[in-house]
Amino acid sequence: MLVLTLLLAGCAAPPANRVLPQRSPDGRYVFDFDRDVPRIREGRRAVVRDEDAPFRKGPDLYWLWDEADRLWLYCASDGAVGYYARGAEGWRRHVWTGARSERPERDLLPPPGLYPPCPGRE
């Protein structure tokens, strides 16, 4: 029984914040990596391939779309959080500082599930 449990545990699906490729909530965009460089595609066309991104694919990087089709990235090794958002000028990378404003209902927050669970808290 122990062997079966261990085998099944090894086959568990990755958490949502580590799934690749990952579709945006509306299904229009797909996030993955191209040679460890973040890439967002619309159909077959790359709309983002960010060579200058501080985020590279690795075991300490997590990603998740929010409901507004912003792609969030979190690097556990240095605590950096950023996101890609589409605006009038196209897609841009933003740094998220977590700073709060006087209107907290308007503050932009990472999606639930972006961060990995704390060790020992499952």
Side-chain angles (χ1 to χ4, degrees), residues 10-77:
C11 295
N17 60 1
R18 297 286 297 174
V19 170
L20 284 175
Q22 190 172 105
R23 289 197 171 281
S24 63
D26 71 1
R28 185 173 177 184
Y29 304 103
V30 176
F31 170 69
D32 61 7
F33 291 93
D34 181 16
R35 298 187 187 115
D36 296 338
V37 173
R39 177 176 68 173
I40 299 173
R41 292 180 290 120
E42 182 177 18
R44 293 180 183 220
R45 181 176 66 93
V47 293
V48 172
R49 187 176 187 286
D50 193 357
E51 292 277 349
D52 299 324
F55 303 103
R56 293 288 192 245
K57 186 178 181 184
D60 64 339
L61 187 66
Y62 300 86
W63 51 85
L64 204 60
W65 292 95
D66 70 11
E67 292 302 318
D69 284 342
R70 287 179 292 254
L71 176 71
W72 290 78
L73 298 130
Y74 166 66
C75 183
S77 62

Side-chain angles (χ1 to χ4, degrees), residues 89-108:
E89 306 86 34
W91 286 88
R92 288 190 40 207
R93 177 175 20 100
H94 303 268
V95 174
W96 185 75
T97 64
R100 299 285 186 228
S101 71
E102 293 179 13
R103 309 250 339 239
E105 70 278 4
R106 291 186 173 182
D107 288 346
L108 185 61

